[in-house]
Amino acid sequence: MSLHPLHRPVWNALNSGWSTLAEGGAKALRIDPRYGPFAAAADGGAEAQTALAALVPQDGEAWIVEPDPIVAPPGTHVLREAMLVQMVAADIHGTSLTLDPVSLGEEDAAEMRTLALMTKPGPFLPLTHRLGHFIGIRDQGKLVAMAGERMRIPGFAEISGVCTHPDHRGKGYAKALMQLVGRAMLARGETPFLHAYAAHEATVALYRTLGFEVRAQMHMMVIGTA
């Protein structure tokens, strides 16, 4: 029986939509660390786990996302771990706010990273903004909200980098931007998906109002060199 394309999202992305950014070999891969911290082994065997450990940057970290419980590879240690829910949407529900979002690019990169580091929507490295199309909202010239794309697997695209400046929360910006990003994916023939912390029940409930449903539970582990 063939597994769902999102069963191992990082491994499958590194072998498809992220293949030009992948580093490593047949046993383990990571994305270029300038773009993100994600890595994956081909399997749970000793050779693959040793190869995965070798890809963890010195004084850096690697994020592992798998459907089954994860054990840190030899020579690494766990920095933090959490349970995630992986959600998919066959359609995006609701009426968007009347917005005039801007398309974000290279000239916005520093401001995008500043917003992401402030609000912590997930890892946002110096070149994360190049992983897909990002849109944002500006207030008096200042970037106050954004959303964009991260993992790509044939037929699927991940919504990511969704965040709002603390001074502008409660206005519906994040939801509206997610609607626009998700509908653009659907228009391209891709199914939107995302990952959220399972413990953040209010966030998961918000995503359900947009049409997302939980497809699977995922284990996330961040590892560093021992």
Side-chain angles (χ1 to χ4, degrees), residues 88-134:
V88 298
D91 191 18
I92 299 296
H93 301 165
T95 302
S96 299
L97 293 175
T98 301
L99 296 175
D100 187 20
V102 295
S103 183
L104 302 174
E106 289 298 323
E107 67 278 8
D108 307 294
E111 200 173 2
M112 293 168 71
R113 190 155 189 246
T114 296
L115 181 61
L117 292 176
M118 175 192 300
T119 56
K120 303 186 186 308
F124 207 95
L125 282 293
L127 298 184
T128 297
H129 65 280
R130 295 184 183 177
L131 291 176
H133 183 223
F134 279 79

Side-chain angles (χ1 to χ4, degrees), residues 14-131:
L14 287 164
N15 281 280
S16 57
W18 281 354
S19 61
T20 59
L21 303 175
E23 301 177 349
K27 292 296 182 180
L29 292 168
R30 73 178 181 192
I31 191 171
D32 179 333
R34 297 173 300 168
Y35 289 80
F38 296 98
D43 53 53
E47 189 177 353
Q49 293 301 304
T50 298
L52 176 59
L55 293 176
V56 181
Q58 291 294 323
D59 301 319
E61 57 187 37
W63 289 47
I64 316 298
V65 180
E66 296 287 353
D68 300 315
I70 308 164
V71 176
T76 70
H77 66 279
V78 179
L79 298 174
R80 54 195 179 278
E81 53 190 330
M83 289 299 301
L84 308 177
V85 289
Q86 183 185 85
M87 307 181 76
V88 298
D91 191 18
I92 299 296
H93 301 165
T95 302
S96 299
L97 293 175
T98 301
L99 296 175
D100 187 20
V102 295
S103 183
L104 302 174
E106 289 298 323
E107 67 278 8
D108 307 294
E111 200 173 2
M112 293 168 71
R113 190 155 189 246
T114 296
L115 181 61
L117 292 176
M118 175 192 300
T119 56
K120 303 186 186 308
F124 207 95
L125 282 293
L127 298 184
T128 297
H129 65 280
R130 295 184 183 177
L131 291 176

Side-chain angles (χ1 to χ4, degrees), residues 212-226:
F212 286 90
E213 294 296 337
V214 174
R215 194 203 73 82
Q217 299 280 331
M218 291 282 164
H219 298 256
M220 184 273 285
M221 177 184 287
V222 180
I223 57 174
T225 54

Side-chain angles (χ1 to χ4, degrees), residues 144-207:
V144 299
M146 69 176 182
E149 306 167 353
R150 186 168 62 188
M151 292 187 209
R152 268 228 165 69
I153 297 165
F156 297 86
E158 183 189 24
I159 297 178
S160 186
V162 182
C163 55
T164 304
H165 190 284
D167 294 342
H168 292 268
R169 288 176 181 161
K171 300 178 180 179
Y173 289 166
K175 182 175 181 179
L177 290 174
M178 288 182 68
Q179 288 171 319
L180 293 171
V181 172
R183 285 171 179 153
M185 292 170 173
L186 290 167
R188 298 195 303 257
E190 295 174 307
T191 298
F193 74 101
L194 55 80
H195 293 96
Y197 288 107
H200 293 182
E201 295 180 0
T203 300
V204 174
L206 169 64
Y207 295 159

